[in-house]
Amino acid sequence: MLKRAKPFALALIIVAFAATSALSAEENVLENAAENIPSAQTETVSPDKPQEPAPAPEEEDLTGPVIVSMDLQGNQEVNHDHIMSVVTSKVGQHVDEEKLRKDAEAIFELGFFNATDYKVTDEGDGVKVTFLVQENPKVGEIKFVGNTVYSEDKLKSAIFTQPGMIFNRTFFRNDLQRIKEKYQEDGYVMANVKDVKIDGDVITVEIIEPKISEIVIQGNKITKKKIIERYLKIKVGELFNANKLRLTLNRLQGLGYFSDVNVNFEPGENPDDVIIVLTVEEARTGKLGFNVAYGTQSGFGGGMSYENFNIGGAGLKLSVGFELGDREEYWLSFEQPYMSGKVAAWKVGIYKRAWDDVYYYDNDKRYLEYDRDKYGAFIGFGKKFRDESKYNWYMLLDWHNTKNDNVRERDGFREDFPNDAKRAQELKRIKEEELGEGTYYSATLSFRRFNIDEYLPYTRGDVESLSFQFGKANVEDTDYTYMKYWLESKFYFPVGNFLKDIFETTFLNGYEDKPVLFAARLIAGSSTGDVPYDEMYTVGGDTTLRGYDDDYYRGRNMVLGNFELRIPMQKMLSFVLFYDVGRAWDMGSYNSKGNDDWGSSPGIGIRLNTPLGNLRLDYADGDEGRFHFGFGELF
């Protein structure tokens, strides 16, 4: 029984299981096939006979006649010198029958012959030793039967033996091992060579690819069986694959439904099939969480949340919580997160945000400072295009209302409008036209490509999403209609394999199963129509441009790039070097930076894996140095 198997340990156990079930067949398959090759000698040293233990070295027998010459008969294709290189008897030595017998065995073990022998004849004052060999036939054709994973051409390209070569038993045994290793590399660890038949010059290799005849799920008292089956990468009738089984175990363990997931194997009715037995141990799926956050602008904050991942055993998720501080938030959501080609994911929720000390900028100056309240509700739903597709779509409908309080002037505003009357007029205009107090409706349709390698213990691959948002708003009795569209790409690339040959160092390999990783996020967006202030793109803050104030850039267009080099040092500790660059702009309007004004923010961070989650501490340099503290990676 395997409990919480690590991927490497799981692979070893599966390999051991497969090796135990097929050991005798694999060791004897070539010896059985060799019986089909006719023998021309009666005194053949056969590899099927048990070999006697090698005797201790003895002094040369000086009683026999002297060998005056040596010869070789029967070889036509195999090189004379190659054969004689394994012979230990030499001209000038006395004849030693035991030594000659072992020489004949050594010639046989070269693998090119189905029979070897020797004879001793008188010659002059001594004797002549002649080794007799019978070569195996040339290979005319190699056939594979029972293979479905790889084509016959693929298997032929993986072996050394090819048509036209003298059949070599030793080489072909290595070829069979190469075939087995090819299957194992791709996860088919129970695949086996069942038999090898030699008929004349035709070699037929029979391969067994075990199938899963049944999947037994037991131990689930709360979670419905059909919910567990959603996350299985293995299916009845498919070939057994250790990689898919490992991914299945990781998926089930990562759901939060179970405290333990075990796997066992049983033989099926067909000896070439296997039964998979998955035993789960239910966990408490309701979890109470606490968090602490810090930002140079937002200050300290913290909160509490409650989540239940498996309400009613149906895989439904409830989340409710709050965060306090200058960035106060409250939320309640209920969702079904699983999606496939047939099952739609969905989510509904309500939220409220109360942000204090929000800045209003114009040309790099902090004009105003105010507090903003926002509350709303949303509903979302989406599906994959096919069950195993990398592509999915998601529709999100949102309604919210915003209200601004305690609007106060900053020094930059007073400098640009020293006249009290003009300052009051401009303040009124900004409140009505720019700060966006009102009601908003939007529908966002997103198409996503998820190309992350699920079989690895770290993130490698890419994710792309293209989103279109249609929105309407009523702000200060003015109606707005607009369209926004943006493209987001995320890339995760382990740099060790790419650079280790250049730098000749193991440092880039990272720690255990976590390599040094280059991660990047690129976002580009634009819009059409009359976009209200509150719905413009914003860049700045701990989730975008870490060296700048929240919403430092605002406009109808935006570009953002986040680049990180994540360097694991220990199991629980990683360092991050990062560089953020981007801006949002809208030429010809208030609160917009110029065309050439880009924000850039280099920095360094620490990631600490704690029982509460992956703690993140970043220091970024931008318009000023800023610290950010929270949980989880930025992207």
Side-chain angles (χ1 to χ4, degrees), residues 109-112 136 139 161 166-173:
E109 289 303 321
L110 289 174
F112 291 105
N136 291 331
V139 177
T161 303
I166 294 292
F167 178 78
N168 185 297
R169 182 181 58 261
T170 302
F171 294 170
F172 203 69
R173 183 179 290 111

Side-chain angles (χ1 to χ4, degrees), residues 494-536:
V495 301
N497 293 336
F498 180 69
L499 296 177
K500 67 180 180 180
D501 294 334
I502 300 176
F503 294 100
E504 296 183 351
T505 177
T506 59
F507 172 75
L508 294 172
N509 293 338
Y511 182 81
E512 291 186 348
D513 56 1
K514 295 182 179 180
V516 176
L517 198 71
F518 174 74
R521 178 178 69 171
L522 302 173
I523 308 176
S526 188
S527 58
T528 56
D530 194 7
V531 185
Y533 175 86
D534 201 43
E535 290 300 307
M536 291 182 180

Side-chain angles (χ1 to χ4, degrees), residues 209-462:
E209 299 173 345
K211 294 182 179 180
I212 300 173
S213 60
E214 185 179 359
I215 300 175
V216 178
I217 299 174
Q218 58 188 23
N220 52 311
K221 299 177 182 179
I222 300 175
T223 308
K224 295 177 173 59
K225 182 180 178 181
K226 67 177 183 179
I227 301 300
I228 299 176
E229 290 175 339
R230 286 176 173 177
Y231 297 94
L232 302 185
K233 292 294 291 186
I234 54 175
K235 295 181 181 179
V236 173
E238 289 186 344
L239 300 181
F240 174 81
N241 187 289
N243 293 340
K244 288 186 176 183
L245 177 60
R246 185 184 304 113
L247 179 57
T248 293
L249 297 179
N250 290 341
R251 277 184 164 187
L252 294 179
Q253 196 73 62
L255 289 174
Y257 301 172
F258 313 111
S259 60
D260 204 0
V261 181
N262 303 330
V263 61
N264 200 3
F265 308 94
E266 295 179 1
E269 293 184 5
N270 186 328
D272 297 328
D273 289 345
V274 62
I275 298 174
I276 306 296
V277 180
L278 294 173
T279 304
V280 300
E281 184 176 330
E282 300 274 11
R284 291 184 178 180
T285 55
K287 295 183 180 180
L288 190 64
F290 301 89
N291 67 80
V292 178
Y294 173 78
T296 302
Q297 178 184 354
S298 60
F300 279 101
M304 182 186 305
S305 64
Y306 172 79
E307 290 184 327
N308 193 316
F309 303 96
N310 193 20
I311 293 178
L316 301 177
K317 179 181 177 181
L318 172 69
S319 178
V320 58
F322 64 87
E323 291 186 4
L324 302 178
D326 287 346
R327 296 294 183 264
E328 186 176 303
E329 294 192 34
Y330 303 86
W331 68 89
L332 170 66
S333 66
F334 190 57
E335 67 177 306
Q336 193 286 103
Y338 175 82
M339 71 163 58
S340 68
K342 300 176 181 177
V343 180
W346 53 264
K347 185 176 183 178
V348 296
I350 57 176
Y351 58 91
K352 182 180 186 301
R353 298 171 186 167
W355 285 22
D356 295 337
D357 303 331
V358 180
Y359 296 136
Y360 174 86
Y361 286 92
D362 190 11
N363 294 320
D364 295 328
K365 295 180 180 180
R366 294 175 182 172
Y367 262 25
L368 304 174
E369 189 174 347
Y370 60 98
D371 303 329
R372 165 165 291 181
D373 290 337
K374 180 177 181 179
Y375 60 89
F378 63 85
I379 180 171
F381 51 92
K383 292 176 64 176
K384 288 185 177 181
F385 288 98
R386 299 190 311 273
D387 282 348
E388 300 300 325
S389 176
K390 297 179 181 179
Y391 299 88
N392 64 68
W393 61 268
Y394 201 88
M395 175 68 77
L396 181 66
L397 306 176
D398 177 88
W399 166 87
H400 65 266
N401 180 274
T402 62
K403 182 176 177 59
N404 303 316
D405 296 315
N406 193 22
V407 181
R408 46 210 184 267
E409 301 172 0
R410 299 283 297 188
D411 292 340
F413 186 65
R414 297 188 185 98
E415 292 173 1
D416 287 359
F417 296 94
N419 181 279
D420 291 343
K422 290 185 177 181
R423 189 165 65 248
Q425 183 180 1
E426 179 64 13
L427 179 60
K428 181 176 184 297
R429 188 199 66 78
I430 291 175
K431 286 182 178 181
E432 293 179 353
E433 299 181 13
E434 298 293 333
L435 295 189
E437 187 172 282
T439 304
Y440 299 79
Y441 308 86
S442 67
T444 305
L445 177 62
S446 299
F447 299 94
R448 188 177 74 152
R449 176 180 182 265
F450 187 82
N451 188 37
I452 298 296
D453 192 334
E454 298 180 278
Y455 295 96
L456 295 176
Y458 59 90
T459 305
R460 184 181 73 181
D462 55 274

Side-chain angles (χ1 to χ4, degrees), residues 480-500:
Y480 293 82
T481 300
Y482 62 93
M483 176 71 75
K484 295 169 63 178
Y485 31 89
W486 63 93
L487 175 66
E488 179 176 2
S489 297
K490 302 176 185 178
F491 304 91
Y492 306 90
F493 179 72
V495 301
N497 293 336
F498 180 69
L499 296 177
K500 67 180 180 180

Side-chain angles (χ1 to χ4, degrees), residues 571-573 607-616 630-631:
K571 183 177 182 180
M572 299 181 63
L573 177 66
R607 305 293 182 264
L608 185 63
N609 189 10
T610 72
L612 295 177
N614 193 32
L615 184 150
R616 173 167 62 96
F631 288 89

Side-chain angles (χ1 to χ4, degrees), residues 39-51:
S39 175
Q41 303 293 333
T42 57
E43 298 181 7
T44 301
V45 181
S46 172
D48 296 326
K49 296 180 181 179
Q51 300 298 308

Side-chain angles (χ1 to χ4, degrees), residues 50-241:
Q51 300 298 308
E52 299 178 0
E58 297 180 358
E59 295 183 0
E60 182 182 350
D61 183 1
L62 302 179
T63 60
V66 175
I67 301 174
V68 296
S69 67
M70 301 181 70
D71 196 8
L72 178 66
Q73 291 184 6
N75 63 306
Q76 297 179 356
E77 299 291 337
V78 185
N79 182 269
H80 174 281
D81 292 340
H82 178 64
I83 298 172
M84 296 304 293
S85 67
V86 299
V87 173
T88 60
S89 300
K90 305 296 181 183
V91 173
Q93 295 180 351
H94 292 269
V95 170
D96 185 332
E97 292 287 343
E98 180 64 17
K99 196 172 185 180
L100 291 174
R101 185 182 69 82
K102 290 181 179 180
D103 286 340
E105 289 181 0
I107 293 174
F108 183 84
E109 289 303 321
L110 289 174
F112 291 105
F113 313 105
N114 63 69
T116 61
D117 201 356
Y118 68 92
K119 66 180 180 179
V120 179
T121 57
D122 294 334
E123 183 174 294
D125 295 333
V127 296
K128 176 182 180 181
V129 176
T130 303
F131 290 98
L132 308 173
V133 299
Q134 178 178 306
E135 290 181 345
N136 291 331
K138 286 186 177 182
V139 177
E141 185 179 3
I142 303 175
K143 295 181 178 180
F144 292 90
V145 296
N147 55 301
T148 61
V149 177
Y150 308 110
S151 66
E152 189 167 85
D153 289 339
K154 284 278 188 182
L155 294 176
K156 286 179 179 179
S157 66
I159 62 177
F160 174 76
T161 303
Q162 297 296 324
M165 299 172 58
I166 294 292
F167 178 78
N168 185 297
R169 182 181 58 261
T170 302
F171 294 170
F172 203 69
R173 183 179 290 111
N174 293 335
D175 287 337
L176 299 183
Q177 181 63 26
R178 291 188 187 97
I179 291 173
K180 182 177 180 180
E181 290 174 355
K182 184 176 181 64
Y183 272 92
Q184 289 180 349
E185 287 173 359
D186 291 332
Y188 301 97
V189 298
M190 292 186 182
N192 230 310
V193 176
K194 182 178 182 180
D195 195 11
V196 175
K197 297 179 181 179
I198 302 176
D199 185 8
D201 63 352
V202 178
I203 302 173
T204 303
V205 180
E206 183 179 356
I207 294 177
I208 296 297
E209 299 173 345
K211 294 182 179 180
I212 300 173
S213 60
E214 185 179 359
I215 300 175
V216 178
I217 299 174
Q218 58 188 23
N220 52 311
K221 299 177 182 179
I222 300 175
T223 308
K224 295 177 173 59
K225 182 180 178 181
K226 67 177 183 179
I227 301 300
I228 299 176
E229 290 175 339
R230 286 176 173 177
Y231 297 94
L232 302 185
K233 292 294 291 186
I234 54 175
K235 295 181 181 179
V236 173
E238 289 186 344
L239 300 181
F240 174 81
N241 187 289

